[in-house]
Amino acid sequence: MLSNSRSPIGIFDSGVGGISVLRAVINQMPAESAIYFGDQAHIPYGLRAMEQIRNFSEAITGFLLAQDTKIIVVACNTASAAALKHLREKFPNMQFVGMEPAVKPAAEYTHTGRVGVLATPATFQGAMYASVVERFANGVELFQSTCPGLVRQIEQGKLEGEETRRILEEALLPMLENQIDTVVLGCTHYPFVIPLIQQIVGDNVRVIDPAPAVARQTERLLEARGMRTPSRSKGEVKFYTSGDPGALTSLLPMLVGENAEVEKAEWLNDRQITSTHGY
Ligand code: DGL
């Protein structure tokens, strides 16, 4: 099938993290429709092998393409690190927007020359991170943490509370001792805990959420190809999860601020997905 300007934007992540990007896309372009895929059967991606994440990402892309998406936002730093290059080669006619840790704006902003980066182990190990650091760190010292357990807390909707705070303090307090003045959120789950992060680091530390910049980049790419929707009414958002649709449905009001239906998508194997729609 062929996409047109009224086709939806495809967005995917290993779980609910990409919803932080979806939120920014909706804010930026309220009339656009979107299809969101959360691969909750396989979360966390951050602890998996690159090749497996690539296979999952390719299958999810196929699933989204079968629904005529006009552009795909890889709203997951880990999947971007593992699969973005591969996806662009494999699907040369599709445009992809990926995530990379926002080291560039952080290095431009920092006064202390010290920046904290929070991301998954796979993101830190990938060639993309090494390349971003090499091109943009510019002598700035980076303090990294994988925040073990944080993705799980956010998947369960525990955006505040003792355990979530403990995980964040363990990551951030040593960074503060090292005089960081900027924190890069290199995992799309983490913007959901910005209030807690800001409480811990205080107002003098800037927290960089890349989602609004990714939404603007998506808009620019659509505009350049004349693919913005002509519609003036609010777009529709459809959710799919490979995990538990009921659990995701109950989290949506907190994560996106509204209710929506969630459909189940089932993995047949590491490379094939079906849904109740039969894609
Ligand atoms: N949301 C994903 C990211 O941006 C990570 C979560 C996971 O480990 O699956 O990297």
Short mmCIF file of all heavy atoms in Angstrom, two decimals, residues 146-210:
data_model
loop_
_atom_site.label_atom_id
_atom_site.label_comp_id
_atom_site.label_asym_id
_atom_site.label_seq_id
_atom_site.Cartn_x
_atom_site.Cartn_y
_atom_site.Cartn_z
N THR A 146 23.48 3.95 33.71
CA THR A 146 22.43 3.16 33.04
C THR A 146 21.16 3.06 33.90
O THR A 146 20.20 2.42 33.50
CB THR A 146 22.93 1.74 32.73
OG1 THR A 146 23.33 1.11 33.96
CG2 THR A 146 24.11 1.75 31.76
N CYS A 147 21.16 3.68 35.07
CA CYS A 147 19.98 3.67 35.94
C CYS A 147 19.29 2.31 36.01
O CYS A 147 18.11 2.18 35.66
CB CYS A 147 18.95 4.68 35.44
SG CYS A 147 19.52 6.35 35.34
N PRO A 148 19.98 1.26 36.48
CA PRO A 148 19.37 -0.08 36.49
C PRO A 148 18.01 -0.09 37.20
O PRO A 148 17.89 0.43 38.31
CB PRO A 148 20.40 -0.93 37.27
CG PRO A 148 21.68 -0.18 37.15
CD PRO A 148 21.32 1.28 37.07
N GLY A 149 17.03 -0.66 36.54
CA GLY A 149 15.69 -0.80 37.14
C GLY A 149 14.73 0.34 36.82
O GLY A 149 13.52 0.22 37.04
N LEU A 150 15.24 1.44 36.27
CA LEU A 150 14.36 2.61 36.08
C LEU A 150 13.31 2.38 34.98
O LEU A 150 12.15 2.77 35.15
CB LEU A 150 15.22 3.85 35.75
CG LEU A 150 14.45 5.17 35.66
CD1 LEU A 150 13.67 5.45 36.94
CD2 LEU A 150 15.40 6.33 35.36
N VAL A 151 13.72 1.72 33.90
CA VAL A 151 12.75 1.46 32.82
C VAL A 151 11.58 0.63 33.37
O VAL A 151 10.42 0.91 33.09
CB VAL A 151 13.45 0.75 31.63
CG1 VAL A 151 12.43 0.14 30.67
CG2 VAL A 151 14.36 1.73 30.88
N ARG A 152 11.91 -0.36 34.19
CA ARG A 152 10.85 -1.21 34.76
C ARG A 152 9.88 -0.40 35.62
O ARG A 152 8.66 -0.55 35.54
CB ARG A 152 11.48 -2.34 35.58
CG ARG A 152 10.49 -3.39 36.01
CD ARG A 152 11.14 -4.56 36.73
NE ARG A 152 11.94 -4.10 37.87
CZ ARG A 152 13.21 -4.44 38.09
NH1 ARG A 152 13.83 -5.24 37.26
NH2 ARG A 152 13.87 -3.98 39.14
N GLN A 153 10.43 0.49 36.45
CA GLN A 153 9.56 1.33 37.29
C GLN A 153 8.60 2.15 36.42
O GLN A 153 7.41 2.25 36.71
CB GLN A 153 10.41 2.30 38.13
CG GLN A 153 11.27 1.68 39.17
CD GLN A 153 10.45 1.02 40.27
OE1 GLN A 153 10.41 -0.20 40.37
NE2 GLN A 153 9.80 1.82 41.09
N ILE A 154 9.14 2.72 35.36
CA ILE A 154 8.32 3.59 34.50
C ILE A 154 7.28 2.76 33.75
O ILE A 154 6.12 3.17 33.62
CB ILE A 154 9.23 4.40 33.55
CG1 ILE A 154 10.09 5.36 34.39
CG2 ILE A 154 8.41 5.16 32.51
CD1 ILE A 154 11.23 6.02 33.66
N GLU A 155 7.65 1.57 33.31
CA GLU A 155 6.68 0.68 32.66
C GLU A 155 5.51 0.37 33.59
O GLU A 155 4.40 0.12 33.15
CB GLU A 155 7.36 -0.64 32.26
CG GLU A 155 8.21 -0.53 31.01
CD GLU A 155 7.39 -0.34 29.73
OE1 GLU A 155 6.44 -1.10 29.51
OE2 GLU A 155 7.70 0.59 28.97
N GLN A 156 5.78 0.34 34.89
CA GLN A 156 4.72 0.05 35.86
C GLN A 156 3.98 1.30 36.31
O GLN A 156 3.16 1.26 37.20
CB GLN A 156 5.32 -0.67 37.07
CG GLN A 156 5.82 -2.06 36.74
CD GLN A 156 6.61 -2.70 37.89
OE1 GLN A 156 6.79 -2.08 38.95
NE2 GLN A 156 7.09 -3.90 37.67
N GLY A 157 4.34 2.42 35.70
CA GLY A 157 3.65 3.67 36.05
C GLY A 157 4.13 4.27 37.36
O GLY A 157 3.50 5.18 37.90
N LYS A 158 5.25 3.76 37.88
CA LYS A 158 5.75 4.29 39.15
C LYS A 158 6.68 5.46 38.89
O LYS A 158 7.92 5.33 38.91
CB LYS A 158 6.47 3.18 39.93
CG LYS A 158 5.51 2.07 40.32
CD LYS A 158 6.24 0.93 40.99
CE LYS A 158 5.28 -0.20 41.36
NZ LYS A 158 5.96 -1.48 41.55
N LEU A 159 6.09 6.61 38.60
CA LEU A 159 6.88 7.78 38.19
C LEU A 159 7.43 8.54 39.40
O LEU A 159 8.22 9.45 39.26
CB LEU A 159 6.02 8.71 37.33
CG LEU A 159 5.34 8.05 36.12
CD1 LEU A 159 4.64 9.10 35.28
CD2 LEU A 159 6.32 7.23 35.28
N GLU A 160 6.91 8.20 40.58
CA GLU A 160 7.48 8.77 41.79
C GLU A 160 7.51 7.68 42.85
O GLU A 160 7.23 6.53 42.53
CB GLU A 160 6.67 9.99 42.25
CG GLU A 160 5.20 9.85 42.04
CD GLU A 160 4.48 11.19 42.06
OE1 GLU A 160 5.03 12.19 41.59
OE2 GLU A 160 3.37 11.18 42.60
N GLY A 161 7.83 8.00 44.06
CA GLY A 161 7.88 6.94 45.09
C GLY A 161 9.31 6.57 45.39
O GLY A 161 10.24 6.93 44.67
N GLU A 162 9.41 5.77 46.48
CA GLU A 162 10.72 5.53 47.09
C GLU A 162 11.73 4.84 46.19
O GLU A 162 12.86 5.29 46.06
CB GLU A 162 10.48 4.63 48.30
CG GLU A 162 11.29 5.00 49.51
CD GLU A 162 10.84 4.13 50.67
OE1 GLU A 162 9.74 4.39 51.21
OE2 GLU A 162 11.58 3.20 50.99
N GLU A 163 11.30 3.74 45.52
CA GLU A 163 12.24 2.95 44.73
C GLU A 163 12.73 3.75 43.50
O GLU A 163 13.92 3.75 43.17
CB GLU A 163 11.57 1.62 44.33
CG GLU A 163 12.37 0.72 43.42
CD GLU A 163 13.71 0.24 44.01
OE1 GLU A 163 14.01 0.53 45.18
OE2 GLU A 163 14.47 -0.41 43.26
N THR A 164 11.81 4.42 42.85
CA THR A 164 12.18 5.21 41.67
C THR A 164 13.16 6.31 42.09
O THR A 164 14.17 6.56 41.42
CB THR A 164 10.91 5.83 41.02
OG1 THR A 164 9.99 4.76 40.79
CG2 THR A 164 11.22 6.50 39.70
N ARG A 165 12.88 6.95 43.22
CA ARG A 165 13.79 7.99 43.72
C ARG A 165 15.16 7.41 44.06
O ARG A 165 16.19 8.00 43.73
CB ARG A 165 13.17 8.67 44.96
CG ARG A 165 14.10 9.69 45.62
CD ARG A 165 13.46 10.33 46.83
NE ARG A 165 12.53 11.38 46.44
CZ ARG A 165 12.90 12.65 46.25
NH1 ARG A 165 14.15 13.01 46.37
NH2 ARG A 165 12.01 13.54 45.92
N ARG A 166 15.17 6.23 44.68
CA ARG A 166 16.44 5.61 45.05
C ARG A 166 17.32 5.36 43.81
O ARG A 166 18.51 5.66 43.80
CB ARG A 166 16.18 4.29 45.80
CG ARG A 166 17.43 3.65 46.37
CD ARG A 166 17.24 2.18 46.72
NE ARG A 166 16.89 1.34 45.59
CZ ARG A 166 17.74 0.96 44.63
NH1 ARG A 166 18.99 1.35 44.67
NH2 ARG A 166 17.32 0.19 43.64
N ILE A 167 16.67 4.82 42.75
CA ILE A 167 17.43 4.53 41.53
C ILE A 167 18.01 5.81 40.95
O ILE A 167 19.19 5.87 40.55
CB ILE A 167 16.50 3.84 40.48
CG1 ILE A 167 16.04 2.47 40.98
CG2 ILE A 167 17.20 3.73 39.13
CD1 ILE A 167 14.94 1.82 40.14
N LEU A 168 17.20 6.85 40.94
CA LEU A 168 17.67 8.11 40.36
C LEU A 168 18.75 8.77 41.21
O LEU A 168 19.73 9.31 40.69
CB LEU A 168 16.48 9.06 40.16
CG LEU A 168 15.64 8.76 38.90
CD1 LEU A 168 14.34 9.54 38.92
CD2 LEU A 168 16.44 9.07 37.63
N GLU A 169 18.58 8.69 42.53
CA GLU A 169 19.60 9.29 43.40
C GLU A 169 20.94 8.59 43.24
O GLU A 169 21.99 9.22 43.21
CB GLU A 169 19.15 9.24 44.87
CG GLU A 169 18.12 10.32 45.15
CD GLU A 169 17.64 10.34 46.60
OE1 GLU A 169 17.92 9.38 47.36
OE2 GLU A 169 16.98 11.32 46.95
N GLU A 170 20.85 7.26 43.11
CA GLU A 170 22.10 6.50 42.93
C GLU A 170 22.84 6.94 41.67
O GLU A 170 24.06 6.95 41.62
CB GLU A 170 21.74 5.02 42.84
CG GLU A 170 22.84 4.12 43.34
CD GLU A 170 22.28 2.74 43.68
OE1 GLU A 170 21.70 2.58 44.77
OE2 GLU A 170 22.41 1.86 42.82
N ALA A 171 22.07 7.27 40.63
CA ALA A 171 22.70 7.71 39.38
C ALA A 171 23.16 9.16 39.46
O ALA A 171 24.26 9.50 39.00
CB ALA A 171 21.70 7.55 38.23
N LEU A 172 22.34 10.01 40.07
CA LEU A 172 22.56 11.46 39.93
C LEU A 172 23.44 12.07 41.02
O LEU A 172 24.16 13.03 40.76
CB LEU A 172 21.20 12.18 39.89
CG LEU A 172 20.34 11.86 38.66
CD1 LEU A 172 18.90 12.32 38.87
CD2 LEU A 172 20.93 12.53 37.41
N LEU A 173 23.36 11.54 42.26
CA LEU A 173 24.12 12.20 43.34
C LEU A 173 25.63 12.20 43.07
O LEU A 173 26.29 13.24 43.24
CB LEU A 173 23.76 11.61 44.71
CG LEU A 173 22.29 11.85 45.14
CD1 LEU A 173 22.01 11.26 46.52
CD2 LEU A 173 21.91 13.34 45.12
N PRO A 174 26.19 11.06 42.61
CA PRO A 174 27.63 11.11 42.28
C PRO A 174 27.94 12.11 41.15
O PRO A 174 28.99 12.74 41.15
CB PRO A 174 27.95 9.68 41.82
CG PRO A 174 26.84 8.83 42.35
CD PRO A 174 25.64 9.71 42.44
N MET A 175 27.02 12.25 40.23
CA MET A 175 27.23 13.22 39.14
C MET A 175 27.25 14.65 39.69
O MET A 175 28.05 15.49 39.28
CB MET A 175 26.12 13.10 38.08
CG MET A 175 26.12 11.79 37.32
SD MET A 175 24.81 11.78 36.09
CE MET A 175 25.03 10.14 35.39
N LEU A 176 26.33 14.90 40.64
CA LEU A 176 26.28 16.25 41.25
C LEU A 176 27.58 16.55 41.98
O LEU A 176 28.08 17.68 41.94
CB LEU A 176 25.09 16.35 42.22
CG LEU A 176 23.71 16.43 41.58
CD1 LEU A 176 22.63 16.42 42.66
CD2 LEU A 176 23.57 17.69 40.72
N GLU A 177 28.10 15.52 42.66
CA GLU A 177 29.39 15.72 43.36
C GLU A 177 30.49 16.09 42.36
O GLU A 177 31.46 16.75 42.69
CB GLU A 177 29.80 14.44 44.09
CG GLU A 177 29.17 14.35 45.46
CD GLU A 177 29.33 12.98 46.09
OE1 GLU A 177 30.33 12.29 45.79
OE2 GLU A 177 28.46 12.61 46.89
N ASN A 178 30.32 15.67 41.14
CA ASN A 178 31.28 16.00 40.09
C ASN A 178 30.93 17.28 39.33
O ASN A 178 31.42 17.52 38.22
CB ASN A 178 31.41 14.84 39.10
CG ASN A 178 32.31 13.74 39.64
OD1 ASN A 178 33.48 13.97 39.92
ND2 ASN A 178 31.76 12.56 39.83
N GLN A 179 30.02 18.07 39.92
CA GLN A 179 29.68 19.39 39.37
C GLN A 179 29.04 19.39 37.98
O GLN A 179 29.28 20.33 37.21
CB GLN A 179 30.93 20.30 39.31
CG GLN A 179 31.20 21.08 40.58
CD GLN A 179 32.12 20.31 41.50
OE1 GLN A 179 33.12 19.75 41.07
NE2 GLN A 179 31.76 20.28 42.77
N ILE A 180 28.27 18.37 37.68
CA ILE A 180 27.55 18.47 36.40
C ILE A 180 26.54 19.62 36.50
O ILE A 180 26.02 19.92 37.59
CB ILE A 180 26.80 17.17 36.04
CG1 ILE A 180 25.78 16.79 37.14
CG2 ILE A 180 27.74 16.01 35.75
CD1 ILE A 180 24.55 16.15 36.61
N ASP A 181 26.26 20.27 35.36
CA ASP A 181 25.20 21.29 35.36
C ASP A 181 24.15 20.98 34.28
O ASP A 181 23.27 21.78 34.01
CB ASP A 181 25.77 22.70 35.18
CG ASP A 181 26.49 22.87 33.85
OD1 ASP A 181 26.61 21.90 33.09
OD2 ASP A 181 26.93 24.02 33.57
N THR A 182 24.30 19.81 33.65
CA THR A 182 23.38 19.43 32.57
C THR A 182 23.20 17.91 32.62
O THR A 182 24.16 17.18 32.85
CB THR A 182 24.01 19.79 31.19
OG1 THR A 182 24.50 21.13 31.26
CG2 THR A 182 23.00 19.67 30.06
N VAL A 183 21.96 17.46 32.39
CA VAL A 183 21.70 16.02 32.33
C VAL A 183 21.01 15.72 31.00
O VAL A 183 20.00 16.34 30.65
CB VAL A 183 20.77 15.55 33.48
CG1 VAL A 183 20.43 14.07 33.32
CG2 VAL A 183 21.42 15.79 34.82
N VAL A 184 21.57 14.78 30.25
CA VAL A 184 20.99 14.36 28.98
C VAL A 184 20.15 13.11 29.20
O VAL A 184 20.65 12.12 29.75
CB VAL A 184 22.12 14.03 27.97
CG1 VAL A 184 21.56 13.40 26.71
CG2 VAL A 184 22.93 15.28 27.64
N LEU A 185 18.90 13.14 28.78
CA LEU A 185 18.05 11.96 28.89
C LEU A 185 18.19 11.15 27.59
O LEU A 185 17.60 11.46 26.57
CB LEU A 185 16.58 12.36 29.12
CG LEU A 185 16.34 13.24 30.35
CD1 LEU A 185 14.86 13.50 30.54
CD2 LEU A 185 16.95 12.63 31.61
N GLY A 186 19.02 10.11 27.67
CA GLY A 186 19.33 9.30 26.48
C GLY A 186 18.50 8.05 26.39
O GLY A 186 18.92 7.06 25.78
N CYS A 187 17.33 8.07 27.01
CA CYS A 187 16.38 6.95 26.93
C CYS A 187 15.00 7.58 26.96
O CYS A 187 14.74 8.45 27.81
CB CYS A 187 16.57 6.02 28.13
SG CYS A 187 15.25 4.81 28.31
N THR A 188 14.14 7.17 26.05
CA THR A 188 12.86 7.87 25.91
C THR A 188 11.90 7.61 27.08
O THR A 188 10.89 8.28 27.21
CB THR A 188 12.17 7.48 24.59
OG1 THR A 188 12.09 6.04 24.49
CG2 THR A 188 12.94 8.03 23.40
N HIS A 189 12.22 6.64 27.93
CA HIS A 189 11.40 6.45 29.12
C HIS A 189 11.59 7.58 30.14
O HIS A 189 10.68 7.90 30.90
CB HIS A 189 11.77 5.13 29.82
CG HIS A 189 11.12 3.92 29.21
ND1 HIS A 189 11.51 3.40 28.00
CD2 HIS A 189 10.10 3.12 29.63
CE1 HIS A 189 10.77 2.33 27.72
NE2 HIS A 189 9.91 2.14 28.69
N TYR A 190 12.79 8.13 30.17
CA TYR A 190 13.15 9.00 31.30
C TYR A 190 12.42 10.36 31.38
O TYR A 190 12.27 10.89 32.48
CB TYR A 190 14.68 9.19 31.35
CG TYR A 190 15.46 7.89 31.50
CD1 TYR A 190 16.83 7.85 31.29
CD2 TYR A 190 14.82 6.70 31.87
CE1 TYR A 190 17.55 6.65 31.42
CE2 TYR A 190 15.53 5.50 31.99
CZ TYR A 190 16.89 5.49 31.76
OH TYR A 190 17.59 4.31 31.88
N PRO A 191 11.97 10.93 30.26
CA PRO A 191 11.24 12.20 30.41
C PRO A 191 10.03 12.09 31.35
O PRO A 191 9.62 13.08 31.94
CB PRO A 191 10.80 12.52 28.97
CG PRO A 191 11.87 11.90 28.13
CD PRO A 191 12.23 10.62 28.84
N PHE A 192 9.49 10.88 31.52
CA PHE A 192 8.34 10.73 32.42
C PHE A 192 8.72 10.96 33.89
O PHE A 192 7.84 11.14 34.73
CB PHE A 192 7.69 9.36 32.26
CG PHE A 192 6.96 9.23 30.95
CD1 PHE A 192 7.35 8.30 30.00
CD2 PHE A 192 5.89 10.07 30.65
CE1 PHE A 192 6.68 8.19 28.79
CE2 PHE A 192 5.22 9.98 29.43
CZ PHE A 192 5.62 9.04 28.51
N VAL A 193 10.01 10.91 34.20
CA VAL A 193 10.41 11.17 35.60
C VAL A 193 11.18 12.50 35.72
O VAL A 193 11.90 12.70 36.70
CB VAL A 193 11.21 9.99 36.21
CG1 VAL A 193 10.28 8.81 36.47
CG2 VAL A 193 12.38 9.55 35.34
N ILE A 194 10.99 13.40 34.77
CA ILE A 194 11.68 14.70 34.86
C ILE A 194 11.36 15.43 36.18
O ILE A 194 12.27 15.97 36.81
CB ILE A 194 11.38 15.61 33.63
CG1 ILE A 194 12.13 15.06 32.41
CG2 ILE A 194 11.81 17.05 33.90
CD1 ILE A 194 11.86 15.80 31.12
N PRO A 195 10.09 15.45 36.63
CA PRO A 195 9.83 16.17 37.90
C PRO A 195 10.70 15.64 39.05
O PRO A 195 11.26 16.42 39.82
CB PRO A 195 8.35 15.92 38.17
CG PRO A 195 7.76 15.64 36.81
CD PRO A 195 8.84 14.95 36.02
N LEU A 196 10.83 14.31 39.12
CA LEU A 196 11.64 13.71 40.19
C LEU A 196 13.14 14.01 39.96
O LEU A 196 13.86 14.36 40.91
CB LEU A 196 11.38 12.19 40.20
CG LEU A 196 11.88 11.39 41.38
CD1 LEU A 196 11.48 12.02 42.70
CD2 LEU A 196 11.32 9.96 41.30
N ILE A 197 13.58 13.92 38.73
CA ILE A 197 14.99 14.23 38.43
C ILE A 197 15.29 15.67 38.83
O ILE A 197 16.29 15.96 39.49
CB ILE A 197 15.29 14.03 36.92
CG1 ILE A 197 15.18 12.54 36.54
CG2 ILE A 197 16.67 14.58 36.54
CD1 ILE A 197 15.36 12.25 35.06
N GLN A 198 14.39 16.57 38.46
CA GLN A 198 14.62 17.99 38.75
C GLN A 198 14.63 18.25 40.26
O GLN A 198 15.43 19.06 40.75
CB GLN A 198 13.53 18.82 38.05
CG GLN A 198 13.96 20.24 37.73
CD GLN A 198 14.94 20.36 36.55
OE1 GLN A 198 14.59 20.06 35.43
NE2 GLN A 198 16.16 20.81 36.83
N GLN A 199 13.77 17.51 40.98
CA GLN A 199 13.78 17.63 42.46
C GLN A 199 15.14 17.23 43.01
O GLN A 199 15.66 17.86 43.93
CB GLN A 199 12.76 16.66 43.05
CG GLN A 199 11.45 17.27 43.46
CD GLN A 199 10.56 16.17 44.04
OE1 GLN A 199 11.01 15.30 44.78
NE2 GLN A 199 9.30 16.21 43.67
N ILE A 200 15.73 16.18 42.45
CA ILE A 200 17.00 15.66 42.96
C ILE A 200 18.16 16.58 42.58
O ILE A 200 19.02 16.89 43.41
CB ILE A 200 17.25 14.21 42.46
CG1 ILE A 200 16.19 13.26 43.03
CG2 ILE A 200 18.66 13.73 42.81
CD1 ILE A 200 16.15 11.89 42.38
N VAL A 201 18.18 17.03 41.34
CA VAL A 201 19.36 17.81 40.89
C VAL A 201 19.23 19.30 41.19
O VAL A 201 20.22 20.02 41.17
CB VAL A 201 19.65 17.61 39.37
CG1 VAL A 201 19.99 16.17 39.07
CG2 VAL A 201 18.51 18.10 38.49
N GLY A 202 17.99 19.76 41.46
CA GLY A 202 17.79 21.18 41.75
C GLY A 202 17.64 22.00 40.48
O GLY A 202 17.90 21.53 39.37
N ASP A 203 17.25 23.27 40.68
CA ASP A 203 16.91 24.12 39.53
C ASP A 203 18.12 24.59 38.72
O ASP A 203 17.97 25.10 37.62
CB ASP A 203 16.13 25.36 40.01
CG ASP A 203 14.75 24.95 40.48
OD1 ASP A 203 14.30 23.84 40.10
OD2 ASP A 203 14.13 25.73 41.24
N ASN A 204 19.31 24.46 39.31
CA ASN A 204 20.48 24.96 38.59
C ASN A 204 21.04 23.98 37.57
O ASN A 204 21.98 24.30 36.85
CB ASN A 204 21.60 25.34 39.57
CG ASN A 204 21.16 26.53 40.41
OD1 ASN A 204 20.36 27.35 39.95
ND2 ASN A 204 21.64 26.59 41.64
N VAL A 205 20.46 22.78 37.56
CA VAL A 205 20.92 21.79 36.58
C VAL A 205 19.85 21.67 35.49
O VAL A 205 18.67 21.54 35.77
CB VAL A 205 21.17 20.42 37.25
CG1 VAL A 205 21.46 19.34 36.21
CG2 VAL A 205 22.32 20.52 38.25
N ARG A 206 20.32 21.76 34.26
CA ARG A 206 19.37 21.69 33.15
C ARG A 206 19.20 20.24 32.69
O ARG A 206 20.17 19.52 32.50
CB ARG A 206 19.92 22.53 32.00
CG ARG A 206 19.02 22.56 30.82
CD ARG A 206 19.56 23.52 29.80
NE ARG A 206 18.74 23.46 28.60
CZ ARG A 206 19.11 23.97 27.45
NH1 ARG A 206 20.27 24.57 27.34
NH2 ARG A 206 18.33 23.90 26.41
N VAL A 207 17.93 19.85 32.50
CA VAL A 207 17.63 18.48 32.06
C VAL A 207 17.18 18.55 30.60
O VAL A 207 16.23 19.26 30.28
CB VAL A 207 16.53 17.86 32.95
CG1 VAL A 207 16.18 16.45 32.48
CG2 VAL A 207 16.97 17.85 34.42
N ILE A 208 17.87 17.82 29.73
CA ILE A 208 17.55 17.92 28.30
C ILE A 208 16.73 16.72 27.84
O ILE A 208 17.19 15.58 27.82
CB ILE A 208 18.83 18.03 27.44
CG1 ILE A 208 19.64 19.25 27.86
CG2 ILE A 208 18.45 18.11 25.96
CD1 ILE A 208 20.86 19.52 27.01
N ASP A 209 15.47 17.01 27.47
CA ASP A 209 14.58 16.01 26.87
C ASP A 209 14.58 16.26 25.36
O ASP A 209 14.15 17.33 24.91
CB ASP A 209 13.17 16.21 27.46
CG ASP A 209 12.11 15.39 26.73
OD1 ASP A 209 12.47 14.54 25.90
OD2 ASP A 209 10.91 15.61 27.02
N PRO A 210 15.04 15.30 24.57
CA PRO A 210 15.15 15.56 23.13
C PRO A 210 13.82 15.48 22.37
O PRO A 210 13.77 15.79 21.18
CB PRO A 210 16.09 14.43 22.66
CG PRO A 210 15.87 13.33 23.63
CD PRO A 210 15.53 13.98 24.95
#
